[in-house]
Amino acid sequence: MRTLPPSARRRLAEAFVFSSVAPQLKRAADRGQTVKYLFKLADAKTIETVVMHYEATPRSRARTTICVSSQVGCPIGCSFCATGQSGFDRNLSEAEIVDQFLAASRDLGETQRSLTNVVFMGMGEPLNNYAAVVGAIRRWARPDTLNFSPRRVTVSTIGLVPFIERLSAEGLPVNLAISLHAPDDALRSSMIPVNRKYPIAAIVGAARAHAERTGRRTSYEYVLLQGINDSPEQAQRLATVVGRHLSHINLIPMNPIDGSSMAPPSKSRAQAFQSILQTAGISTTIRATRGLDIDAACGQLRARQLQAATSPT
Ligand code: SAH
Ligand code: SF4
């Protein structure tokens, strides 16, 4: 605002916060198709946000998806997840969620691309920070702000059943992604402690009700872990649990994390798992791993930063 006198500019800068997130680190991979940001918050805590560009295909238009965080850390503590292993710090405010979108949009600037989709697949469990997440989705959607349709927003959850039900009742046509990762409760509880409270049948029931109500297909996320959840029998069981109606399964070969011996299966084993689901009539994809070289899996860039900041060398 160079038309204002310097004293007025100074007073404005003191009185108002322009953005609640400040870019601290930016790294690109996949020939610029994946960009990962580490944002610093007012209390010096850090979160991750990732922007992914997808070119047009004969069946779909070009997309630019932003993966936003909902919490600093995560209280759920899943065994295969870098964020879960780094513990929980605090919820993000609605402004901090909204501003991840705005800061990334601003940075896209001259590239002729704009954000077309939002996924809550960064750090944190969005339904554990319900009011701020729904508030942000509503704010992006307002005609006097971005007019960004909730139909382009996907909330990914580990399966907090009461909040899935509450979300369904909001009348917001958001997409739901359920992080399932195991076809039976014994295995799922060993990976995801909260499964003891909300077991698979309850989660799938709530997801089906949401799909019926909104007419929008539920996607089930399934991180493939070698020797743990990737057998043909488990694929068969998964097909039975999920069913083909209004569902899609995203298979995600695990992105290895520091301090864990868990690993992704071979490509052929992942494909064998997929073909069992397909034979059962279930729509399924194997997700292409993005930005491995920039620690693109949930929480990994931040985990490394924290490690670097606290290690003596
Ligand atoms: N808490 C929410 C959203 C954030 S996690 C949830 O769990 O759904 C987003 C996705 O990243 C989830 O499907 C999660 O299982 C996956 N993820 C976590 N750690 C991963 C890893 N090491 N490799 C691949 N995917 C991972
Ligand atoms: Fe939290 Fe999701 Fe990571 Fe589990 S996978 S610890 S719920 S961020």
Side-chain angles (χ1 to χ4, degrees), residues 70-71 73-87 120-126 156-160 179 181 191-194 223 298-299:
S70 56
Q71 300 181 310
C74 182
I76 307 290
C78 302
S79 57
F80 49 85
C81 170
T83 305
Q85 293 307 301
S86 69
F120 278 87
M121 292 189 185
M123 301 169 59
E125 166 51 45
S156 176
T157 177
I158 205 67
L160 307 185
S179 289
H181 311 320
M191 297 156 58
I192 305 164
V194 75
V223 173
C298 183

Side-chain angles (χ1 to χ4, degrees), residues 19-25 38-42 46 103:
S19 175
S20 58
V21 305
Q24 197 184 26
L25 199 71
L38 195 69
F39 285 125
K40 194 169 173 177
L41 311 176
T46 51

